[in-house]
């Protein structure tokens, strides 16, 4: 169990709950730490939790039959994920791996389903969450098929600033170039070249240990011209 204050810090969706619903939510959540490179869960796992990033960074993705890694989404602090598998009570369809030392909140399926069946506020959140995640994946499919490496990286960074999926985002993102490359499916060297190009075009500013976004709308539409 976590405290009510901690719940409100790590879960923006909890602010829509009644007091009784908050008690159910916090009673069903524990936190667990994962080291860099450690797997939160793998494709095919029976993982009976809804999960949220408390601190750190993780990559949602998978490995194809020919061994090629595919990145579906980055997961920063404040992001909650895996609700589809919990709702359908099915094995996970992707991997989630910590890219740095991270702490993850885990809500038991029983608490999740109680909120799903009883909380109007929680259901409003889930509808927004599922709709945004679907849009994210459809957009990613288009990007991977039609755009060059710089545009793919620009869109990958922009995706981390979706206010529904990443409610705690600020203009400054604490992330290394290696981590950006991992989220974008490219090497650190290629990510560095793409980032420098985006910086020269005035879309972001590279800083020690992170990047500051200067023009999120241009990042989101990069490559459409």
């Amino acid at each position: 169990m976590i405290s009510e204050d901690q719940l409100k810090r790590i879960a923006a969706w909890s602010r829509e709950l009644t007091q009784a619903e908050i008690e159910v939510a916090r009673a069903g959540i524990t936190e667990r730490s994962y080291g860099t490179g450690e797997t939160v869960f793998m494709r095919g796992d029976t993982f009976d939790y809804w999960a949220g990033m408390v601190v750190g960074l993780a990559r949602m993705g998978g490995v194809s039959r020919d061994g090629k890694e595919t990145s579906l989404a980055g997961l920063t602090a404040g992001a909650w994920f895996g609700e589809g598998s919990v709702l359908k009570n099915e094995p996970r369809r992707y991997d989630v791996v910590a890219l740095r030392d991270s702490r993850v909140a885990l809500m038991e399926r029983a608490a999740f389903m109680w909120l799903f069946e009883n909380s109007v506020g929680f259901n409003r959140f889930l509808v927004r969450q599922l709709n945004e995640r679907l849009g994210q994946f459809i957009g990613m499919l288009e990007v991977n098929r039609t755009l060059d490496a710089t545009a793919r990286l620009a869109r990958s960074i922009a995706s981390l600033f979706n206010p529904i999926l990443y409610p705690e985002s600020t203009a400054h993102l604490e992330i290394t170039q290696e981590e950006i490359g991992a989220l974008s499916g490219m090497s650190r060297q290629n990510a560095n070249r793409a980032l420098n190009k985006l910086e020269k075009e005035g879309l972001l500013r590279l800083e020690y240990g992170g990047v500051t976004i200067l023009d999120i709308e241009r990042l989101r539409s990069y490559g459409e011209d």
Side-chain angles (χ1 to χ4, degrees), residues 22-153:
I22 286 173
E23 293 304 311
V24 171
R26 72 184 193 89
I29 293 177
T30 56
E31 294 184 8
R32 186 179 301 171
S33 296
Y34 295 86
T36 302
E38 191 172 352
T39 299
V40 179
F41 57 78
M42 296 180 64
R43 180 178 180 178
D45 280 355
T46 299
F47 186 79
D48 295 325
Y49 298 96
W50 186 42
M53 294 296 296
V54 178
V55 294
L57 178 70
R59 179 179 63 85
M60 179 189 294
V63 180
S64 65
R65 292 181 179 179
D66 61 3
K68 182 179 179 181
E69 287 191 352
T70 300
S71 292
L72 297 176
L75 300 166
T76 58
W80 286 76
F81 55 96
E83 57 277 346
S85 295
V86 177
L87 283 168
K88 291 181 284 186
N89 196 22
E90 67 178 14
R92 300 297 161 133
R93 297 190 174 188
Y94 49 82
D95 307 325
V96 170
V97 178
L99 295 181
R100 68 173 73 142
D101 289 350
S102 301
R103 193 159 181 82
V104 180
L106 302 173
M107 176 184 278
E108 297 175 349
R109 185 172 188 273
F112 178 95
M113 293 307 298
W114 188 94
L115 290 170
F116 173 65
E117 292 167 358
N118 294 279
S119 172
V120 173
F122 189 68
N123 275 278
R124 280 198 298 260
F125 162 79
L126 283 180
V127 169
R128 294 195 302 269
Q129 173 93 344
L130 290 166
N131 185 57
E132 291 295 331
R133 188 70 76 191
L134 177 61
Q136 182 186 46
F137 288 162
I138 290 174
M140 181 201 65
L141 181 63
E142 177 185 11
V143 165
N144 286 341
R145 288 183 175 180
T146 62
L147 299 181
D148 64 17
T150 301
R152 291 199 306 272
L153 182 139

Side-chain angles (χ1 to χ4, degrees), residues 57 100 172-180 188 195 205-212:
L57 178 70
R100 68 173 73 142
H172 179 75
L173 181 64
E174 292 186 3
I175 189 170
T176 67
Q177 294 185 19
E178 184 175 2
E179 290 168 342
I180 291 174
R188 184 187 184 282
L195 285 166
R205 182 172 63 247
L206 299 177
E207 299 169 346
Y208 180 75
V211 298
T212 293

